[in-house]
Amino acid sequence: MGKPTGFIEYLREEPSELAPRDRIRNWDEFHLPMPEANLKTQAARCMDCGTPFCHTGITISGMASGCPINNLIPEWNDLIYRGLWREALDRLHKTNNFPEFTGRVCPAPCEGSCVLGIHNPPVTIKNIEYSIIEKGWESGWVNPEPPQKRTGKKVTVVGSGPAGLCAAAQLNKAGHWVTVFERADRPGGLLMYGIPNMKLDKQEIVMRRIQLLEAEGIKFICNTEIGKDLPAQQLLKEFDSVVLCTGATKPRDLPIEGRSLKGIYFAMDFLTANTQALLEGKDTSISAAGKDVVIIGGGDTGTDCVGTSVRHGCRSLVQLEIMPQPPQERASNNPWPEWPKIYRLDYGQEEAAAQFGSDPRGYLTTATKFEGDEQGQVKAVHTVQVQWEKDTNGRFIPQPVPGTEQILPAQLVLLAMGFLGPEQPLLEALGLDKDPRSNIKADYDKYTTNIPGVFAAGDCRRGQSLVVWAFNEGRGVARECDRYLMGSTDLP
């Protein structure tokens, strides 16, 4: 806890941000650091709640409640209140390998289950976490810590996204020689190319951590796709163990009339092209500049497409969501400590509203047809509103509402409808068993596949999920891989 009466005396204070019309002029991060005195006040709001739920990391109603990596939140809140920043950093690093990532991109399920949140705005846990790690970097407290002894065991991690990086860091800490294969031209996976620079800076933040991991002895090999550039079976011969953290990168498509028209892209292709161009100092190959943009789908990826399109200088922007608009406050069937399913204006929608006058999202709306011009370029999206009704099996399905049809101008359409699972060629090359959703079959907390010595973790095992769940699984798979290699393990 912080100050015993802090939650009564102090109000929640969010960190300042650059104004939307100012920040859309560049690709820089736009959250401003909070003064230490203010952070101490915010940490003081952490109450003596008796049974904290912020660090529980359980799943309720299919969503995270509390921190999936069990961050010791009340402990480091108390340390910040007392001005003990170095000690707070040590407590944070006990459960989180990369708090600079979660402090920026995590939706903060910890705050959704904060006990104070039952009757008041919750503690600003995410901002305090961000501030602790950045204070650590600035103060020179975050340095390479290579293992003192090596086991002689060689492990390869396939994929350098959040799960892969956590697995590599923990396995290296255990003393194993770790090689990470990444098919992209830079390490980081989703952290590098799936999240825009204004949300997570690539050079200043992502590469800062990658370089530290390299200094600790981890080897990264990029531009290498296993099964294509390097035979999958070769990994089994050259390494004592293989950890698969390839993510769930197969996007959900929208196979309606006109899908083959030019100008229709998967969201991740759009975001990846933009970040690659930004890092290489050239124009992106998929630009929204001067175009009417329609984004189909919501979530973080949809929001990132909104923010990216606005920065390109799009002419107009509409985002279609097939689900209804969430309520302003928790519904009766969404009680604490469940994740609050409420209406939020995220950074991208806030920027679009500042530029075009309103939230760009159209709820309970779906696309029915893409219309093209004589050159085969998309020029419009036909839409209809829907209502959710039960079918004969009792399942809710969207039904079109007659008379609500619209035609939206569009020279760029982005599909941000989620992901169906991992890409299959590598799984098939290794002969891995799959679950009914096409993910790699491996039990949670064990991570073992049907092939001895081959483990799987992250989105390729559990399906599309949060970065913080990837951290959870990356740490877990490292523990089980170490146990397999050594007979026992000291990893958490």
Side-chain angles (χ1 to χ4, degrees), residues 277-294:
L278 182 66
L279 292 173
E280 294 168 10
K282 60 184 184 182
D283 294 334
T284 180
S285 58
I286 310 173
S287 177
K291 296 176 181 177
D292 301 300
V293 179
V294 173

Side-chain angles (χ1 to χ4, degrees), residues 2 47 67 89 108 128 159 175 221 252 274 281 336 357 377 423 435 446 486:
M47 60 194 292
C67 178
L89 178 66
I128 294 172
I221 301 177
R252 178 177 282 107
N274 184 78
W336 178 93
Q377 167 71 38
E423 296 172 39
D435 68 15
K446 295 297 181 184
M486 306 303 294

Side-chain angles (χ1 to χ4, degrees), residues 63 86 124 158 171 174 305 346 364 422 462:
M63 304 188 77
R86 180 64 186 267
T124 54
V158 182
L171 287 164
C305 288
D346 209 335
L364 289 172
R462 69 181 295 126

